Amino acid sequence: MAHVLKVSTQDGSVGLLGFESQQDIYSFTYDETWRAREAAFPLSPHIPLLDARPKVGAVHRFLANLLPEGRALEVASVMYQMSKDNTFGLVHVLGREPVGALSFMGMAQEAASGEDGAEPAETEYTAVEENDALPVRRVVPNEELSERIRRRDEIPFPVWDRKLRLSVAGFQDKLQVLVEGESLSLVDGGPISSTHILKPESLNPASAFMVANEHYCMTLAASIGLPTATVQIRRIPEPILLIERFDREVELDPADGVTALRVRRTHIIDGCQALDLPVNLKYERNFGNAQAVRDIREGASFEKLFALEPHLENPAHGRRVMLRWALFQLFIGNSDAHGKNLSFHVRPAGLSPAPFYDLVSVNAYGEAVEQDMALAYGDAFRLDDVTAFELAYFAQCTGTPRTLVARELTRMARAITRVAGTLAQSEVYVGEERGMVKRIHDFVTVQVGKLMQLAPEVPRIDQSLL
């Protein structure tokens, strides 16, 4: 059986997504009117806008990377009574407002071929155009949100009003919300979409105070001039982290400066989509770090990410942003900075790195949380193994001048020294959160010293040894 979804943006139809269930074959055909638009962009570099066909499996890999992971995927599978491997079906039910500009709407089936090879009937499909949808805000009062946060073991957090309200990738509990002043609402797309991602505190005691951890690391990055998603902590009274979406542009009502008249969705893809990698290759060591398989490194890597240069809208700027993203993880001890934790705006002229997100100090939790890094610096997968030699090897693998790596390390270290202490004393952190933030600050201070010492040695490494 052949099935079809209509893919569109708020500006109109983009094309048709096809799926042949018996053969497990995906296809995508651009609408000719979309191709003719001056502002037309491809779904990804691997699903090209022009006549070239995507590689086998590219469409499926793109779609699978749109879906949530972990518990949210389990919940979706149970709620809609379909396999977690049924990517097409899950995109159909969750595709109203995924990350980026695209919506996946309406599904139909082609009639099966008749006996003796009779031609199948023409495909028919139905879809609700985004512009036809009325904006409906489902306000979430603080009392209700507080109760739902406390009852996450009983009621899955992404499920509201018997609907799964999450269609963004990742493992953590989160919710897509429209923020208008102090008001939080659930919306279903159309002219009004979500503007923020809401994250409650982690349920895992091994990763306590994650809200304060992420807020501090994100604020630190922004304070030294790195492009970073805007974050804030609210207490309802439980702490929640609100992350402003960088794939949304909000038009506010000038009468009050708060009410959203329209939320324009812009297209982004994550690193795995940009590299045409499946979700299970977001870590460089795609089979893990056990002795027998630790040398297999088929997943995302800094080398592969920097090899995206031909697809970048502004290669020099894009490479500089990616370099700073890579180096900042060393300062905060974020071992979980994997291939899906870097995203790109998709524009007609190419890719441009999006603001940083999911910046956390994994080191703050010690060996209770995996400390092997998702992506290696040279051959170093542990912070203690990052030496001047490994940084020089990292520079060579990414095609980055070693002098530039040294300059960026030094510049970032000095900038962090100027602001880290003041940020750690912020009154936004309360109670035991302050201890967590102090632990991160102390670690960052040590890392600043280490990396300041390593930086001048990086250009001096004998090139012949690399």
Side-chain angles (χ1 to χ4, degrees), residues 218-388:
M218 294 282 284
T219 306
L220 179 61
S223 297
I224 66 169
L226 301 181
T228 310
T230 301
V231 294
Q232 62 172 296
I233 294 177
R234 285 195 189 178
R235 302 185 187 277
I236 58 169
E238 293 82 6
I240 58 172
L241 187 69
L242 288 175
I243 306 106
E244 186 175 327
R245 300 188 66 157
F246 46 76
D247 58 343
R248 302 291 185 264
E249 297 173 355
V250 186
E251 179 187 343
L252 297 177
D253 187 341
D256 60 18
V258 172
T259 304
L261 297 177
R262 180 178 174 84
V263 181
R264 183 170 183 79
R265 300 168 58 202
T266 61
H267 195 42
I268 63 167
I269 57 176
D270 65 35
C272 283
Q273 289 170 313
L275 293 171
D276 191 25
L277 293 177
V279 178
N280 60 7
L281 292 187
K282 68 180 183 180
Y283 292 101
E284 185 168 347
R285 283 173 165 168
N286 48 303
F287 292 120
N289 59 6
Q291 186 67 39
V293 294
R294 64 191 311 165
D295 292 330
I296 301 174
R297 296 162 61 174
E298 299 172 329
S301 65
F302 290 123
E303 182 175 2
K304 289 175 182 174
L305 287 169
F306 277 74
L308 289 169
E309 180 174 350
H311 299 293
L312 296 178
E313 183 178 34
N314 182 332
H317 170 76
R319 288 177 59 87
R320 185 70 62 97
V321 172
M322 288 194 289
L323 175 62
R324 290 172 178 171
W325 177 79
L327 297 181
F328 187 73
Q329 315 299 338
L330 294 174
F331 285 101
I332 63 173
N334 183 14
S335 62
D336 200 40
H338 52 67
K340 290 181 70 66
N341 278 352
L342 179 67
S343 287
F344 300 84
H345 291 288
V346 182
R347 303 186 176 109
L351 306 180
S352 178
F356 303 164
Y357 56 97
D358 284 355
L359 299 177
V360 297
S361 177
V362 177
N363 179 271
Y365 300 112
E367 295 300 327
V369 179
E370 181 57 59
Q371 296 296 323
D372 274 20
M373 292 182 289
L375 310 180
Y377 296 79
D379 285 326
F381 279 94
R382 301 279 293 194
L383 276 177
D384 290 343
D385 295 333
V386 175
T387 62

